[in-house]
């Protein structure tokens, strides 16, 4: 059986190279439109599908300009520059003649040189020692993941508002799926909006700018177990926007990705 | 006297709205081409100069595709979508017919709502209590800043390599200049490449993807003293790329900006 994410990532090639059609997937529906992580993965896939693509994903930035309505939308991926060691792309998502997102993608060819992970993986219990969230999930896409919170569950009431938006959780696809860059691009968006933790209620919120730096080598991804550890925290909430800094770690302690977003809230 | 950054930010309007010409400034020269912070500020200015621009800068991502040669280059700023509370832009820098950078800019209209700075300003000595760097600086742009390091000076020899790339420094423009978003866009790139700290030598390195989230309100910027406190650290060095996460604080303890970059190194 094809995984729902792979279904969402199946693009229909258009008349010109770099043009393709995507279709929102009901299994990945969010409050309004599709889960942003899926859209980011689709934008990345549009580049990787291009016959001129070379190198592995290194950086991805998606600016969400408008909600995507259920149904089809067009992707236009343009190569902006190809160098010896990297390649720059600009992607646009268009629906009903209007831009719904813009994105830039950086592909890079790896080079053997100094390597080290300076960031420290949080010392947390193993996923087997934590119970998965079983309460009813209000959004379709959430059931695509099995989440096991180490700390910083989404609050249920205003009384549960805290001074810290730090969340740590183990997460895996509910239906098994090998890890790849599209899977990381999607999963880096799995954190509930940090504003929920601070105010204790589910105010309207949506990511406007989303960046993923992919640290993982293809070999690491291939050897990767089902769970990833995610750690996310907000920095400043001001004028209806906040930033989130987050990391994704493998069970074996590999830093797979660093991710940031700027989120609008009411 | 006009500040060198304002000279670098002076764009000549082109024939069509959104098109303009910039010129590299000798005072902001880097090892190869202009200092990336200046280019980022120019990309932002290209948007802010557009007659349709509305809102204040919220997010900026610049992907540096190729070195910019000394001289003129063309900027093309296109509005991708205007919503009630935000506006999305795509910018391209072109020199000799080839793309030298791509950028996306998010402008937002502020909204009064929950506000808090969750990040903690490091407890460091005041700028007046730290001596500025006086040693010869090898790059032109460096003399545009006066830097006072709290910790994590650039190493001078391989023996000074450390396990941590954490740097904290106070910095101000050498020639006084009021703070604005272009000044932040430029200054968020002031940190020396984190790889230097780790290997102790100045290997070839260059930012490929650069993101700034602007937290500061216009009122805060107007009230801002000359010094900003910068704090930067690398996350993972792998396959010739590393990420940097950094913050800029005001003397009064305001979180002005959060910034990230992915850097290529040899």
């Amino acid at each position: 059986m094809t995984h729902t994410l792979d279904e969402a990532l199946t693009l229909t090639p258009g008349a010109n190279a770099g043009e393709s059609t995507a279709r929102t997937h009901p299994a990945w529906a969010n409050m309004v439109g599709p889960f942003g992580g899926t859209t980011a993965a689709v934008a990345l896939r549009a580049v990787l599908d291009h016959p001129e693509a070379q190198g592995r994903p290194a950086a991805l930035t998606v600016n969400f300009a408008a909600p995507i309505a259920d149904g089809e939308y067009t992707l236009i991926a343009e190569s902006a520059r190809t160098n010896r060691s990297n390649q720059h792309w600009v992607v646009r998502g268009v629906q009903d003649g209007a831009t719904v997102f813009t994105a830039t993608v950086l592909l890079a060819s790896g080079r053997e040189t100094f390597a080290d992970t300076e960031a420290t993986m949080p010392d947390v219990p193993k996923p087997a020692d934590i119970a998965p969230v079983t309460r009813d999930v209000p959004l379709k896409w959430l059931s695509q993941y099995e989440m096991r919170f180490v700390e910083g569950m989404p609050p249920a009431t205003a009384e549960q508002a805290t001074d810290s938006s730090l969340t740590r959780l183990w997460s895996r696809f509910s239906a098994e799926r090998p890890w790849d860059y599209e899977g990381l691009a999607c999963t880096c968006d799995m954190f509930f909006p940090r504003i929920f933790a601070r105010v204790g209620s589910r105010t309207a919120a949506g990511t406007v700018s989303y960046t993923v730096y992919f640290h993982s080598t293809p070999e690491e991804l291939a050897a990767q177990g089902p769970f990833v550890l995610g750690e996310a925290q907000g920095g400043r909430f001001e004028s209806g926007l906040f930033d989130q800094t987050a990391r994704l770690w493998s069970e074996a302690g590999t830093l797979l990705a660093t991710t940031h977003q700027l989120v609008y809230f009411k």
Side-chain angles (χ1 to χ4, degrees), chain A:
Chain A
M1 235 181 82
T2 309
H3 194 278
T4 55
L5 181 56
D6 292 304
E7 289 176 351
L9 289 170
T10 303
L11 310 182
T12 307
N16 305 307
E19 283 184 26
S20 53
T21 301
R23 194 174 179 83
T24 61
H25 194 295
W28 288 91
N30 202 350
M31 189 79 75
V32 180
F35 172 57
T38 335
T39 308
V42 164
L44 178 59
R45 174 60 67 87
V47 168
L48 296 178
D49 272 356
H50 198 290
E52 288 165 25
Q54 59 182 56
R56 71 158 179 91
L60 164 70
T61 293
V62 183
N63 282 6
F64 297 98
I68 299 176
D70 288 344
E72 292 187 347
Y73 58 98
T74 302
L75 295 146
I76 302 148
E78 283 182 273
S79 161
R81 182 109 183 193
T82 299
N83 300 313
R84 199 155 42 94
S85 63
N86 61 45
Q87 193 176 51
H88 291 265
W89 293 83
V90 177
V91 187
R92 199 180 284 246
V94 177
Q95 195 175 45
D96 295 332
T99 298
V100 286
F101 69 82
T102 65
T104 56
V105 172
L106 172 71
L107 304 181
S109 306
R111 181 190 303 108
E112 293 272 326
T113 178
F114 175 85
D116 184 54
T117 298
E118 187 170 323
T120 312
M121 187 179 184
D123 184 17
V124 298
K126 298 277 172 215
D129 299 330
I130 304 169
V133 175
T134 53
R135 71 186 189 198
D136 277 353
V137 288
L139 304 168
K140 285 279 183 193
W141 74 266
L142 274 168
S143 54
Q144 298 299 317
Y145 289 102
E146 183 199 286
M147 297 187 176
R148 301 177 179 223
F149 281 83
V150 178
E151 59 184 300
M153 281 274 288
T157 65
E159 288 69 42
Q160 291 174 15
T162 64
D163 286 345
S164 166
S165 67
L166 177 67
T167 281
R168 289 171 172 155
L169 79 158
W170 289 103
S171 182
R172 65 172 168 186
F173 288 115
S174 304
E176 203 177 319
R177 182 180 187 276
W179 285 98
D180 56 11
Y181 294 100
E182 292 91 331
L184 288 181
C186 185
T187 305
C188 278
D189 194 32
M190 71 173 167
F191 305 95
F192 66 86
R194 303 296 86 200
I195 184 68
F196 292 4
R198 300 303 312 277
V199 300
S201 64
R202 289 164 200 218
T203 178
T207 304
V208 279
S209 191
Y210 176 64
T211 290
V212 179
Y213 296 154
F214 302 95
H215 301 299
S216 185
T217 64
E219 296 72 29
E220 286 169 353
L221 280 179
Q224 160 73 358
F227 280 102
V228 291
L229 177 71
E231 178 176 50
Q233 188 159 19
R236 184 174 176 194
F237 305 74
E238 175 58 49
S239 304
L241 292 169
F242 73 85
D243 67 305
Q244 171 188 281
T245 296
R247 287 179 173 140
L248 251 61
W249 299 85
S250 77
E251 288 181 75
T254 301
L255 182 57
L256 301 170
T258 302
T259 179
H260 313 284
Q261 48 181 274
L262 192 72
V263 182
Y264 145 103
F265 68 98
K266 277 219 170 133

